[in-house]
Amino acid sequence: MDISLRQMRSFVAVAKLGSFTRAAEFLHVSQPTLTVQIRRLEEALQLKLFDRNPRSVNLTRVGRDLLPSFERTLQDLDSVLLDVKHVSTAQLGVVRIAALPSFAASLLPDSIRHFRKQNPGASFAVKDVIASAVLGLVRSDEVDLGLTGGNVDFPDIEVLFRASDEIRVVYPKGHPIDRFSRITAERLAQFPIVMMDGRTSVRAVTDNAFRKAKLMPTPVTETTQMMTALGMVRAGIGITLLPASAREIAAEPTLRARHISDPNFSRPVWLIKRKNRTLPPLSKAFADHLSRERVSFLKRDD
Amino acid sequence: MDISLRQMRSFVAVAKLGSFTRAAEFLHVSQPTLTVQIRRLEEALQLKLFDRNPRSVNLTRVGRDLLPSFERTLQDLDSVLLDVKHVSTAQLGVVRIAALPSFAASLLPDSIRHFRKQNPGASFAVKDVIASAVLGLVRSDEVDLGLTGGNVDFPDIEVLFRASDEIRVVYPKGHPIDRFSRITAERLAQFPIVMMDGRTSVRAVTDNAFRKAKLMPTPVTETTQMMTALGMVRAGIGITLLPASAREIAAEPTLRARHISDPNFSRPVWLIKRKNRTLPPLSKAFADHLSRERVSFLKRDD
DNA sequence: GATGTCCATAGATAAATCGTATGGCTGAGA
DNA sequence: TCTCAGCCATACGATTTATCTATGGACATC
């Protein structure tokens, strides 16, 4: 014989209201229902909980001792269930997302701001890590979503959304390249280029684009940070190639960033999750939000 | 739609064992039962809790977040229910009892010691107060049992047990009264008597006994404490009249205590409870214990 | 491609729950 | 003392819920 939550709620109601009839009203059930519930509870506990008289209902001492425990248990449970309700209706939750540092700095902040306008109960846990770490965090369920570039073609990874982050050429105003109306890989190769370090995903993309165009431009300098590359460009050392999403470009008002007429100069942006894993409602909502959102510097690949 | 404790237990079992089949074994139910329980729970919460694959069952993130709450709630409840079980089987509990100070010092300590030999889980809350306070504490449910003398004939008071505490005469060895084989009220009245204070229940009994015998013995001294009366007797000031239950008599090895051949020299001892109130199992057991127990200085009035 | 493992589904049966109608007890008031 | 009102307990039929057995379907392994 086991006890039920309904029995516990019935017990608390009768104890607090001191009457089966009033408790029945309160719980929207008939009075005999409560009689049976309490009797079953007493049978299960093998304890008399109430002393009944036609005139009054009184807790026995063991009933009185038991009341606070049951009450606390029910309150705890109800507060958990209320939280659950908010989670299930996507009113509350933590969106755990791993992203490449460039996306974490450019794409995510505005998206999160917009999303939180409509979902004030959303909080975010953003991990800005390199591409392989994004995959690792997604695989180990430490994050719900991953925002990354590179290869994501794995059997345990599902792509929710794909876009392109265009790689642009950045040069000082008045630079000779500015006179071309269309800028191609060949044109770029004619100028000294400040290139990103070989381990960065940007460099992987540009190297690949030049290889496809059968060109081998020589880097005049290599930098790890985009900010450093821009400093070089400002100083007139050369031009550079940076993703459109890079916020750093805006920090240098004397520089111009322009589109390159070559589809290879773009890196893919993937929103991924672990395959066969259900997203929390709020994370799902954020994923949908990202998919719907038109980000100026991203090209949608639908 | 409401959730049930069984659903919660099913959820925890499946989550911890990572398998519907193993959880079903563990809970001694069939596997489809668990499938249905979990589905119902998910419907009630409007949340997917598990990602099912034919090869593995994994908690979703919301499921993972929910698990500790449910687990804690169930553990709390189980520990309460375990306590309840011990209480219901009279293995555990607090016996709350109000008693006249004389009974609290004489009758109760040995009874409690014997009772605790058989019921090691019993603890006691003893209030030693005057008779009217005993009634008050019983009426207000602050104690389960009352041990008192005097009048207990009230409609809201139930007598569980009645005995008599014999009033004995106490005198120094070799005192002239010692030569009588039977001691009557008349014999007592021939000697100077150290009497208890008029407000004590002992004095009420002896006054009444002498009045019934149409005697008016004059007190040579009045004392409030039994110990003081005994000191007077030891010093040869007179004889005194004390209840057989008085432990103080044993402290004076040069004194003798003897029965008085007059049924009026005894005070009633009542074990009472509030009428229409169920006793906790352990308090009930103690009341039964008191009723069964043969106390040397108490005469049972069955 | 066959097989085994595991979860989901379907249908039948047993159990529990609930509401209506009714009975029984107690205390207040005539 | 009697009657009545108020309140809880009981009985019974209807509905819902829980459970089991049998079986289907998906995926991984060999």
Side-chain angles (χ1 to χ4, degrees):
Chain A
M1 183 78 89
D2 220 359
I3 75 167
S4 72
L5 286 173
R6 193 157 310 183
Q7 287 167 357
M8 290 172 64
R9 291 191 201 281
S10 301
F11 167 64
V12 171
V14 173
K16 300 223 114 188
L17 297 174
S19 153
F20 281 64
T21 307
R22 281 198 294 279
E25 270 175 55
F26 176 74
L27 296 173
H28 304 295
V29 294
S30 70
Q31 168 264 313
T33 298
L34 274 193
T35 296
V36 174
Q37 294 272 17
I38 300 294
R39 190 179 56 208
R40 287 242 198 291
L41 181 60
E42 288 180 328
E43 284 166 4
L45 300 181
Q46 306 218 48
L47 276 177
K48 202 138 172 271
L49 296 173
F50 294 103
D51 284 316
R52 289 94 150 161
N53 303 306
R55 225 57 186 167
S56 65
V57 175
N58 297 89
L59 282 167
T60 61
R61 191 162 71 70
V62 288
R64 217 180 327 147
D65 291 345
L66 201 54
L67 179 59
S69 300
F70 274 20
E71 218 173 343
R72 199 173 52 77
T73 298
L74 289 175
Q75 277 173 4
D76 287 358
L77 185 61
D78 285 341
S79 91
V80 169
L81 292 182
L82 189 64
D83 257 19
V84 164
K85 192 178 168 189
H86 289 150
V87 168
S88 73
T89 53
Q91 292 172 33
L92 190 71
V94 181
V95 178
R96 289 167 212 274
I97 184 165
L100 292 182
S102 56
F103 296 145
S106 61
L107 195 165
L108 273 186
D110 283 338
S111 295
I112 289 176
R113 191 165 52 81
H114 289 140
F115 184 72
R116 277 176 50 86
K117 267 190 208 156
Q118 297 152 33
N119 303 75
S123 54
F124 282 79
V126 179
K127 300 217 172 200
D128 50 336
V129 292
I130 61 172
S132 63
V134 171
L135 280 174
L137 290 169
V138 169
R139 286 201 169 106
S140 67
D141 278 336
E142 288 173 66
V143 297
D144 306 320
L145 298 169
L147 194 60
T148 187
N151 181 25
V152 292
D153 186 16
F154 302 99
D156 58 341
I157 296 293
E158 178 181 342
V159 173
L160 297 172
F161 170 62
R162 186 216 142 101
S164 297
D165 190 13
E166 177 193 342
I167 305 287
R168 295 180 178 172
V169 57
V170 182
Y171 53 85
K173 285 178 184 167
H175 188 278
I177 201 172
D178 198 34
R179 69 172 196 274
F180 298 117
S181 57
R182 291 180 69 252
I183 299 177
T184 60
E186 286 75 13
R187 298 260 161 78
L188 291 174
Q190 295 166 14
F191 300 96
I193 303 181
V194 177
M195 286 204 176
M196 295 297 290
D197 185 274
R199 289 163 307 180
T200 66
S201 61
V202 172
R203 177 65 179 273
V205 171
T206 55
D207 276 3
N208 180 57
F210 281 122
R211 192 169 51 251
K212 289 262 178 73
K214 309 229 188 293
L215 295 166
M216 279 287 272
T218 48
V220 62
T221 314
E222 290 194 347
T223 73
T224 306
Q225 300 292 322
M226 296 185 185
M227 221 40 244
T228 313
L230 290 168
M232 302 284 179
V233 173
R234 173 166 41 77
I237 293 173
I239 62 175
T240 192
L241 303 166
L242 293 180
S245 64
R247 308 272 305 170
E248 287 88 342
I249 299 172
E252 299 285 358
T254 64
L255 304 186
R256 260 201 93 183
R258 276 185 61 195
H259 176 68
I260 303 168
S261 301
D262 183 333
N264 288 324
F265 281 89
S266 84
R267 56 173 183 174
V269 180
W270 311 100
L271 182 67
I272 60 173
K273 65 180 268 291
R274 196 170 166 198
K275 201 167 185 178
N276 292 327
R277 286 291 183 277
T278 304
L279 290 175
L282 199 66
S283 299
K284 174 83 169 62
F286 183 65
D288 293 345
H289 174 82
L290 278 183
S291 304
R292 271 196 308 275
E293 193 182 44
R294 294 271 160 189
V295 181
S296 59
F297 48 78
L298 287 187
K299 190 168 140 283
R300 288 172 58 94
D301 305 337
D302 293 325
Chain B
M1 182 79 88
D2 219 0
I3 75 166
S4 73
L5 286 174
R6 193 157 311 184
Q7 287 167 358
M8 289 171 65
R9 290 190 201 279
S10 301
F11 167 64
V12 171
V14 173
K16 299 223 114 186
L17 296 174
S19 153
F20 281 65
T21 307
R22 281 196 295 279
E25 269 175 56
F26 176 75
L27 296 173
H28 304 296
V29 295
S30 70
Q31 167 265 311
T33 297
L34 275 191
T35 296
V36 174
Q37 293 272 18
I38 299 294
R39 189 179 57 210
R40 286 250 148 73
L41 181 61
E42 287 180 329
E43 284 167 2
L45 301 180
Q46 307 217 51
L47 275 178
K48 199 135 173 274
L49 297 172
F50 293 103
D51 284 315
R52 288 92 150 163
N53 301 308
R55 223 51 184 172
S56 64
V57 175
N58 297 90
L59 282 166
T60 61
R61 190 160 74 69
V62 287
R64 219 180 326 148
D65 292 345
L66 202 54
L67 180 59
S69 301
F70 274 19
E71 217 173 344
R72 199 172 53 75
T73 298
L74 289 176
Q75 276 172 5
D76 287 359
L77 185 62
D78 285 341
S79 91
V80 169
L81 292 182
L82 190 63
D83 258 18
V84 164
K85 193 178 167 190
H86 289 151
V87 168
S88 75
T89 54
Q91 292 170 32
L92 189 74
V94 181
V95 179
R96 289 166 213 274
I97 184 165
L100 292 182
S102 55
F103 297 144
S106 60
L107 198 166
L108 273 186
D110 284 338
S111 295
I112 289 177
R113 190 165 52 80
H114 289 141
F115 184 72
R116 277 177 49 88
K117 268 191 208 154
Q118 295 152 32
N119 303 75
S123 54
F124 283 79
V126 178
K127 300 217 173 200
D128 51 337
V129 292
I130 61 172
S132 64
V134 171
L135 280 174
L137 290 168
V138 168
R139 286 202 170 102
S140 67
D141 278 336
E142 287 174 67
V143 297
D144 306 319
L145 297 169
L147 194 60
T148 187
N151 181 25
V152 292
D153 187 17
F154 302 100
D156 58 341
I157 296 295
E158 178 181 342
V159 174
L160 298 172
F161 170 63
R162 187 217 142 103
S164 298
D165 192 11
E166 178 193 342
I167 305 288
R168 295 180 178 174
V169 55
V170 182
Y171 52 86
K173 285 178 183 168
H175 189 277
I177 203 173
D178 196 34
R179 68 172 196 271
F180 300 116
S181 56
R182 291 179 70 251
I183 299 176
T184 60
E186 286 76 14
R187 299 260 160 80
L188 291 174
Q190 297 169 10
F191 300 96
I193 302 180
V194 177
M195 286 205 176
M196 295 297 291
D197 186 272
R199 290 163 305 182
T200 65
S201 61
V202 173
R203 177 64 178 275
V205 170
T206 56
D207 277 2
N208 181 56
F210 283 120
R211 193 168 54 251
K212 289 261 178 75
K214 310 227 187 287
L215 295 166
M216 280 289 271
T218 48
V220 63
T221 314
E222 289 194 347
T223 73
T224 306
Q225 300 292 322
M226 296 186 184
M227 220 40 242
T228 313
L230 290 169
M232 304 283 180
V233 173
R234 174 164 42 76
I237 293 172
I239 61 176
T240 192
L241 301 167
L242 292 180
S245 64
R247 306 274 305 171
E248 287 88 342
I249 300 173
E252 299 285 356
T254 65
L255 304 186
R256 261 200 91 182
R258 276 184 62 194
H259 176 69
I260 301 168
S261 301
D262 183 333
N264 289 323
F265 281 89
S266 84
R267 57 173 183 174
V269 180
W270 310 101
L271 182 67
I272 58 171
K273 66 181 267 291
R274 196 170 167 198
K275 202 168 183 176
N276 293 327
R277 285 290 182 278
T278 303
L279 289 176
L282 199 65
S283 299
K284 174 85 169 60
F286 184 65
D288 293 345
H289 174 82
L290 278 183
S291 304
R292 271 195 309 275
E293 195 182 43
R294 294 269 160 191
V295 180
S296 58
F297 48 80
L298 287 187
K299 192 168 137 279
R300 290 171 59 92
D301 304 336
D302 292 327

